[in-house]
Structure formats: structure tokens, C-alpha cells
Amino acid sequence: MSITENIRRLLRELPEGVELVAAAKGRTPEEVLEAVEAGVKSIGENYVQEAEQAFAVVGRRAKWHFIGHLQKNKAKKAAALFDMIETIDSVEIAREIDKRCAQSSKVMPVLVEINSGREREKTGVLPEDAERLLREISALPNIKVMGLMTMGPRFGDPEDSRPCFAETRRLYHRLKELGLPAVEMRYLSMGMTNSYRIAIEEGANIMRIGTGIFGQRRRNRNPAD
Ligand SMILES: *Cc1c(COP(=O)(O)O)cnc(C)c1O
């Protein structure tokens, strides 16, 4: 199926209020453009350099979500390009984004990434550390926490994701009930190609789908980024 057909099918299938983000790592700017022209409103990028290449073709016709692991030395470019950063997992990177956004009077919506699979090599904060991180970064004036993001296990049975998604959803509601000033819990970003139906059942409202839109991934185009 073509990119366009995949997007139309997904947009028909997703319930109202669930936002589709096309996860575009390893794709050409032309593929990303096709996705946008087919009706996807947001593009998820893992690498700043790849995002800049796609941005040069697509521009502000889409919203740009950063979904990769952000290096401090890329924070300036990321602050300028992205409309949301989904992968905040440390005070340090939050401060860096805050500082760069302050320079352009921008307030960056961010999600806190939760390591719900508790995998050691994974990014994200452990669920029990999320509240402390949230309290620390909610004081930063040029970022705004708007929810949580999680990956869950990448391989194996999609059902293995369910307990991770459920735990992240419970955490989301608990953090929302804290009513922290300057925190607006609105987005729960969970679910990829193999797990998005489970993520919907578990209350997610942002889906990040790559292979289900673009087909099997080729080799990473920007291994050094
Ligand atoms: C690649 C990626 C996705 C999409 O994964 P697919 O299995 O291709 O749908 C979603 N989220 C993040 C953070 C990713 O890196």
C-alpha cells in the first residue's frame, strides 16, 4: 500500500481526538511530503539533521514533533524547528531547551518520556521519578509540560505493551490531579505500528506510527546524527 493509502486508512480508523504523528526516521523529504499531502498533520523526527532536510521541503505545512533522544548540542536547532518535544527525561535537557526558547521568546510544549518498560538501556525517566522531574521543570518559563510519552517494549507480542501503557496512563492521571501550576496534562503519546490499537484502548491520544505509514525501514540515513 502507498503512503497515501496507509494514511487515509489510519485517519479513518483512529477515534476522534486521537492525533496521528507520522514517525519519519530514515525517510526522504519526498516521502514526508507525501504523508503531509495525504492529510497527516504532524511529523515525528528522531534526528535534528534529518528533520531539517524534511523541513526544507515541507515547512510549516505540518507540526514537527521531536521523538528522538536529544543531544544538548542540538538543543538550539531543535528549539527553533520543533513545535513539540516529546522526549524530555532530564532537568538538564529541559533547562537547555528552556534557555534556547527564551532567546526567541518561544514557549515549547513538551512531554515527559516515561521508561515504562524499565529497560536499562532505554531513555525516559522511571515512573516513580516522574513527579520530581515534573516539579523541577514546571518552574521553567519557556517550556510547558503538556503530558507524557512512552515507548513500551519494541519487540515481541504487542500485548506486552499493555501493562506499560496502563501504568503510564495511571501516572498521567495521578500527575494531572496534582494540579501543578504551569503544567497542563493534555497529551498521552503511546503506541506505534504494532501497538497502536492497544494504546488507544489504554487511553492514548497521540499515536507515533512509522512502518505502518511508510513501510519497512531502510538503513538509517543519518547514522552520525
Ligand atoms: C520509530 C519510532 C516510532 C514508530 O515506530 P514504528 O514501529 O515504525 O511505527 C515511534 N516512536 C518513536 C520514538 C520511534 O523512534
Side-chain angles (χ1 to χ4, degrees):
M1 278 219 274
S2 70
I3 292 171
T4 300
E5 287 169 329
N6 287 334
I7 297 233
R8 295 212 174 125
R9 181 179 44 80
L10 280 163
L11 290 176
R12 273 197 305 271
E13 182 185 344
L14 296 183
E16 193 155 332
V18 173
E19 189 183 323
L20 177 62
V21 173
K25 61 175 172 286
R27 314 300 177 172
T28 64
E30 291 68 33
E31 289 172 300
V32 176
L33 180 62
E34 181 178 344
V36 172
E37 288 180 338
V40 85
K41 299 223 165 40
S42 302
I43 304 296
E45 294 279 358
N46 293 66
Y47 306 102
V48 173
Q49 194 184 327
E50 217 171 76
E52 287 178 319
Q53 291 164 2
F55 183 83
V57 173
V58 175
R60 298 270 168 222
R61 279 180 279 178
K63 297 278 184 201
W64 297 86
H65 287 214
F66 188 77
I67 62 173
H69 184 66
L70 190 57
Q71 312 285 329
K72 255 178 135 181
N73 63 359
K74 298 271 164 60
K76 183 178 177 194
K77 283 181 170 176
L81 194 156
F82 288 100
D83 300 292
M84 176 180 278
I85 296 187
E86 295 201 14
T87 50
I88 295 292
D89 64 356
S90 74
V91 185
E92 290 70 33
I93 198 66
R95 283 211 188 100
E96 196 65 29
I97 294 289
D98 178 70
K99 183 173 95 187
R100 298 304 182 176
C101 286
Q103 290 162 354
S104 54
S105 307
K106 176 173 178 176
V107 176
M108 178 70 78
V110 304
L111 306 183
V112 169
E113 182 179 353
I114 307 299
N115 181 357
S116 59
R118 297 173 179 277
E119 290 163 275
R120 266 222 236 122
E121 71 281 17
K122 272 280 181 65
T123 51
V125 288
L126 291 172
E128 58 270 29
D129 296 332
E131 180 178 337
R132 189 177 49 197
L133 178 63
L134 214 75
R135 286 184 186 276
E136 284 181 304
I137 67 177
S138 65
L140 298 170
N142 290 86
I143 66 169
K144 184 170 173 61
V145 178
M146 300 205 68
L148 304 182
M149 176 274 212
T150 200
M151 297 271 283
R154 280 309 290 279
F155 304 104
D157 188 337
E159 276 296 330
D160 295 345
S161 299
R162 191 183 295 279
C164 299
F165 291 168
E167 181 176 15
T168 307
R169 187 223 321 131
R170 285 192 297 270
L171 180 62
Y172 171 87
H173 287 295
R174 200 174 62 69
L175 293 171
K176 189 173 190 157
E177 277 161 21
L178 292 177
L180 293 177
V183 171
E184 186 186 338
M185 295 302 261
R186 196 198 296 178
Y187 297 112
L188 188 50
S189 175
M190 319 191 285
M192 310 191 292
T193 299
N194 71 352
S195 59
Y196 74 90
R197 291 192 178 92
I198 291 165
I200 292 170
E201 288 168 9
E202 296 300 333
N205 56 15
I206 295 182
M207 307 286 127
R208 310 175 313 270
I209 297 184
T211 45
I213 290 174
F214 298 105
Q216 285 302 319
R217 255 188 300 284
R218 292 177 301 271
R219 186 174 76 68
N220 187 350
R221 290 169 63 234
N222 284 314
D225 194 349

